[in-house]
Amino acid sequence: MTAVGGTGPWPGSEPLEAQTTVLGDVAAAPSGVDGLPWTVRLPERGPFGSLAAQALGLLVELPAELGPHGWRLADRPGADATRLAALRREDLDALAVAAHGWDGPLVVPVAGPLTLAASVYLARGDRAVADPGAVAELAESLSAGVAEHLDAIRRAVPGARPTVLLHEPLLAQVVAGVLPSFSGYARLRSVAAPVASERIGTVVAGVRAGGAERVVLHVGAGAAAVGAARGAGADAVGLEVAGLDERRWESVAEAVEGGLALWASVPQPETSQCAGPDVRGVADAVLRGWERVGLSRAGLRDVVLLAPAGPTVPGGPTGARVDPAAARATLATVARAAAVVAERAES
């Protein structure tokens, strides 16, 4: 059945309030649409609420700390590693309360190993992705850490059936070798596509063995990296569908026909004072490309629409914030768009 979910971030700084809102709103999805609640990430925590920080808090025997230029791997655990662990426990406690009695799917978003390696620095050196040994070690550590995290989630919410959403928005840049070095005067050597798939596959296999019902590889706007999802053994591929041209939709079609489901991150809905939110425009971001490349309407039953966090406004520790009411309105609009997609699947 066509479904609606999210990618992780949610406004606010109180995990219990955020998690309760997401579970309640997703559970109220329209008839004919499955709601896929997710474990929230709070960007308003500043550097401790980033995608990289969340994943660093899961690593096994690889402590991290905040340096002058962002997160880096550390020789030993310190105050920053202690805080990451404390925030993880706080989030699990909030999930246990908010999802009490929940029996159903639960999406667990986490940074993938290549994006994580591209986002953090070695204790003494450049980005971790520049060191093949460090990338392999990060993948192994992340695999074990996410598996442990899933076990903790099942203890907190015994009825949860976890799906891991691996975020790899930097994968295409890592493979293309276009990421700047620390100095900014050079480019980091590319990671070969087969090696990247192997590292991601390490995490996919580990979290599946750890109890994940499904694993989704989200490549962000990097449609060129869609093939990596198949190579890594993922069950579905996620990507931002706004602006995909026919050539990129062809790569989506190839993945879908190869057995992968599509998790489509849709654009922020446009809203007018007269007509309200443009539900049809959100649905068409998926439907037009899907039908243009000749994919079957019946296949739309397996599509998941992922809502953006909501429109940002200036302010907050990260320079921008999202109003919780606006985030809820965005999620409701995307849920209605998912109902339009579901109707097309049955037509």
Side-chain angles (χ1 to χ4, degrees):
M1 185 182 293
T2 308
V4 62
T7 57
W10 194 259
S13 56
E14 296 296 331
L16 178 57
E17 180 181 358
Q19 196 67 75
T20 301
T21 300
V22 164
L23 276 152
D25 286 11
V26 170
S31 175
V33 174
D34 279 342
L36 299 180
W38 64 92
T39 56
V40 297
R41 176 171 59 82
L42 304 177
E44 289 187 25
R45 284 172 171 168
F48 286 87
S50 68
L51 183 64
Q54 181 194 48
L56 289 170
L58 301 177
L59 296 180
V60 174
E61 297 181 357
L62 278 181
E65 63 185 4
L66 269 174
H69 303 285
W71 286 102
R72 64 187 180 191
L73 301 178
D75 295 323
R76 60 187 63 84
D80 293 329
T82 299
R83 186 176 178 192
L84 285 173
L87 289 172
R88 180 187 171 203
R89 290 193 298 270
E90 182 183 358
D91 291 345
L92 283 168
D93 289 344
L95 178 65
V97 175
H100 178 71
W102 176 258
D103 185 5
L106 182 68
V107 178
V108 182
V110 63
L114 274 299
T115 288
L116 181 59
S119 303
V120 302
Y121 292 87
L122 298 172
R124 286 168 293 278
D126 216 310
R127 297 178 196 247
V129 75
D131 183 333
V135 175
E137 190 175 4
L138 270 172
E140 293 285 353
S141 179
L142 185 64
S143 174
V146 177
E148 289 183 3
H149 187 53
L150 294 180
D151 190 48
I153 287 175
R154 283 191 296 271
R155 290 196 300 270
V157 189
R161 302 196 306 272
T163 288
V164 173
L165 178 60
L166 283 178
H167 281 287
E168 284 285 8
L170 298 181
L171 177 59
Q173 296 178 57
V174 167
V175 172
V178 297
L179 287 172
S181 64
F182 178 78
S183 67
Y185 293 112
R187 295 284 182 265
L188 298 178
R189 184 186 307 171
S190 69
V191 175
V195 175
S197 288
E198 182 181 352
R199 298 293 173 253
I200 297 169
T202 295
V203 180
V204 170
V207 301
R208 186 173 283 130
E213 190 172 82
R214 290 179 294 179
V215 184
V216 183
L217 180 61
H218 199 302
V219 298
V226 166
R230 294 181 68 183
D235 301 294
V237 61
L239 75 164
E240 297 171 10
V241 294
L244 290 185
D245 58 20
E246 186 165 344
R247 180 175 61 84
R248 289 180 171 85
W249 267 107
E250 288 286 357
S251 68
V252 173
E254 183 179 351
V256 170
E257 289 168 350
L260 297 181
L262 172 64
W263 287 43
S265 285
V266 296
Q268 181 65 41
E270 296 184 2
T271 302
S272 69
Q273 290 184 343
C274 298
D278 184 10
V279 175
R280 186 72 208 194
V282 174
D284 281 346
V286 175
L287 293 175
R288 287 177 178 169
W290 185 275
E291 294 178 349
R292 190 165 62 241
V293 294
L295 287 167
S296 72
R297 289 187 176 182
L300 291 167
R301 298 190 188 103
D302 298 323
V303 170
V304 178
L305 270 63
L306 298 172
T312 58
V313 296
T318 59
R321 62 178 298 275
V322 177
D323 177 63
R328 296 186 69 184
T330 294
L331 179 56
T333 298
V334 175
R336 290 167 60 194
V340 173
V341 174
E343 290 173 4
R344 185 68 63 88
E346 302 302 327
S347 64

